Amino acid sequence: MTVNLGMPAAPPPVLAPRRPTRQIKVGKVLVGGDAPISVQSMTTTKTTDINGTLQQIAELTATGCDIVRVAVPSQDDADVLHIIAKKSQIPVIADIHFQPKYVYAAIDAGCAAVRVNPGNIRQFDDQVKGIAQAATDAGVSIRIGVNAGSLDKRIMDKYGAPTPEALVESALWEASLFEEHGFRDFKISVKHHDPVVMVRAYELLSDACDYPLHLGVTEAGPSFQGTIKSAVAFGALLSKGIGDTIRVSLSAPPAKEVKVGIKILESLNLRPRQLEIVSCPSCGRAQVDVYTLAENVTKGLEGLKVPLRVAVMGCVVNGPGEAREADLGVASGNGKGQIFVKGKVIKTVPEDQIVETLIAEANRIAEEAPEGSPEGAPLVSVS
């Protein structure tokens, strides 16, 4: 049976229209304006480990990362940037702190953009004219990255703490220095580890300028905590149309950051959905081990590129209805499962064959999908 994977007739609803912003280029990726919200991450390898860094970039690219940042804390790192920038399949941003000379090195190396943290670059204000000219000549954009943990001493003396107002004043001051030299190809971030402070800072910044904004909760923490913080903060801002590119900061492998970021955007209809598993939380009515079923189906379908909603359901109350609404689903009970494809029961299988049957049917659907099917329409639910 061929399953129609075409996009719905109307665009999926969003909570608010995007905030109008200027548009800049980060290599081949557009940021701001009407460009899709991009997902970023940062390598954890030593940049001087060229093979290791490129391998991690390749993994991030395969996961769906749009832009990658690499650390440049030393001259040795700066010396290998040209190799990494040339061989990476996605735009590379050089992350610069303390030494302004590495900004020029990154631009010369062919990096798509440079992140500068004005609060900790020595005599940064005196360097802006030269940086702006070099970036303009090379067609390189800049991120003004303000962090709560490294605000300029002048700002800290004024506010006494990294308040939302302090973060925004710092960012706008540095932006004004670039503007004095006619340079406006930059985006801004005002990161804080507290989602409430971070959200307020971005709201203030959004009201004060039209530059594209890079969203991030800095030092968000381990995977679970960091995911919650990022989802809450990003959701609060993106639901108001604020944000043009995002980076989820986790104490976890970078690919995890990308997966979380993509799912946040998909959940808000800001990125076309691909595989979606709809599954019930289980309860006393469940007649199968829904947790294990959902987990095994998710693992088995990891990497599937065709947009698909798969439902894994564990009882007769919501199961049949949810399974019928999905592209592919199972309603389980009494040691067996009814397999649904586009609302129709195609077979009933023993419980121990549910996972392999769903995976086989999903792969069959993917193979039969017409080439060029738009991503993000059909979904798979597990409950």
Side-chain angles (χ1 to χ4, degrees):
M1 175 189 303
T2 300
V3 177
N4 179 14
L5 297 180
M7 287 290 286
V14 294
L15 291 171
R18 288 275 297 284
R19 157 188 172 268
T21 60
R22 299 173 60 89
Q23 189 172 85
I24 65 170
K25 289 182 178 181
V26 180
K28 64 184 179 182
V29 176
L30 297 177
V31 176
D34 59 358
I37 298 171
S38 52
V39 176
Q40 303 191 24
S41 187
M42 186 171 183
T43 56
T44 58
T45 54
K46 297 293 185 183
T47 304
T48 49
D49 176 6
I50 298 172
N51 290 336
T53 300
L54 288 172
Q55 183 175 348
Q56 195 168 77
I57 291 175
E59 180 184 0
L60 288 168
T61 304
T63 305
C65 187
D66 300 303
I67 300 168
V68 66
R69 186 156 42 109
V70 300
V72 189
S74 73
Q75 186 63 52
D76 288 342
D77 298 301
D79 288 343
V80 301
L81 278 177
H82 68 286
I83 301 173
I84 293 169
K86 181 178 181 179
K87 293 190 175 182
S88 173
Q89 292 181 305
I90 56 178
V92 172
I93 297 177
D95 190 70
I96 310 296
H97 299 270
F98 306 115
Q99 290 283 0
K101 66 180 181 179
Y102 299 147
V103 176
Y104 298 101
I107 292 172
D108 291 341
C111 290
V114 179
R115 180 271 178 103
V116 294
N117 188 343
N120 64 22
I121 289 186
R122 297 170 188 167
Q123 299 179 323
F124 181 78
D125 296 2
D126 299 332
Q127 302 286 334
V128 172
K129 181 178 181 180
I131 291 173
Q133 188 61 58
T136 298
D137 292 344
V140 169
S141 59
I142 300 260
R143 170 158 75 100
I144 298 174
V146 176
N147 264 25
S150 53
L151 274 177
D152 188 291
K153 184 179 183 299
R154 294 166 295 184
I155 300 292
M156 286 297 289
D157 288 344
K158 177 178 179 179
Y159 289 92
T163 63
E165 292 78 10
L167 293 167
V168 171
E169 181 172 324
S170 176
L172 292 178
W173 167 251
E174 302 303 343
S176 71
L177 296 179
F178 279 101
E179 291 170 343
E180 286 179 6
H181 301 290
F183 187 86
R184 290 180 172 79
D185 291 333
F186 56 83
K187 59 183 186 290
I188 304 177
S189 64
V190 283
K191 294 187 178 183
H192 197 285
H193 67 271
D194 185 331
V196 174
V197 176
M198 173 268 199
V199 167
R200 184 57 184 151
Y202 277 101
E203 289 174 338
L204 292 173
L205 186 59
S206 177
D207 289 339
C209 71
D210 67 348
Y211 290 110
L213 302 184
H214 169 118
L215 302 188
V217 178
T218 192
E219 292 102 30
S223 184
F224 177 75
Q225 173 184 292
T227 295
I228 298 298
K229 279 188 173 184
S230 298
V232 168
F234 291 3
L237 291 166
L238 293 169
S239 66
K240 297 177 182 179
I242 299 172
D244 300 284
T245 184
I246 65 173
R247 190 264 171 114
V248 177
S249 298
L250 302 177
S251 299
K256 175 76 171 180
E257 297 182 347
V258 174
K259 291 176 182 178
V260 172
I262 288 173
K263 280 301 177 185
I264 290 172
L265 295 180
E266 287 182 357
S267 296
L268 292 168
N269 285 337
L270 295 171
R271 176 173 282 224
R273 302 190 187 205
Q274 295 187 6
L275 175 66
E276 181 176 356
I277 304 293
V278 178
S279 59
C280 65
S282 193
C283 66
R285 298 190 303 264
Q287 297 175 329
V288 296
D289 182 354
V290 176
Y291 301 151
T292 301
L293 270 182
E295 184 176 339
N296 289 341
V297 170
T298 300
K299 288 180 180 177
L301 295 180
E302 187 173 6
L304 192 71
K305 297 302 183 183
V306 171
L308 198 66
R309 174 177 285 149
V310 179
V312 179
M313 307 301 294
C315 80
V316 296
V317 176
N318 296 320
E322 287 283 359
R324 287 192 183 95
E325 289 298 314
D327 299 300
L328 171 65
V330 60
S332 309
N334 297 321
K336 57 188 177 182
Q338 284 187 315
I339 307 297
F340 289 77
V341 174
K342 280 297 184 181
K344 295 182 179 180
V345 178
I346 63 167
K347 65 179 73 173
T348 300
V349 299
E351 183 178 336
D352 62 2
Q353 295 179 22
I354 289 175
V355 172
E356 64 182 80
T357 303
L358 286 175
I359 292 172
E361 289 298 321
N363 287 325
R364 180 185 62 78
I365 290 171
E367 290 175 1
E368 293 180 359
E371 285 189 23
S373 291
E375 296 180 356
L379 301 170
V380 179
S381 307
V382 177
S383 177

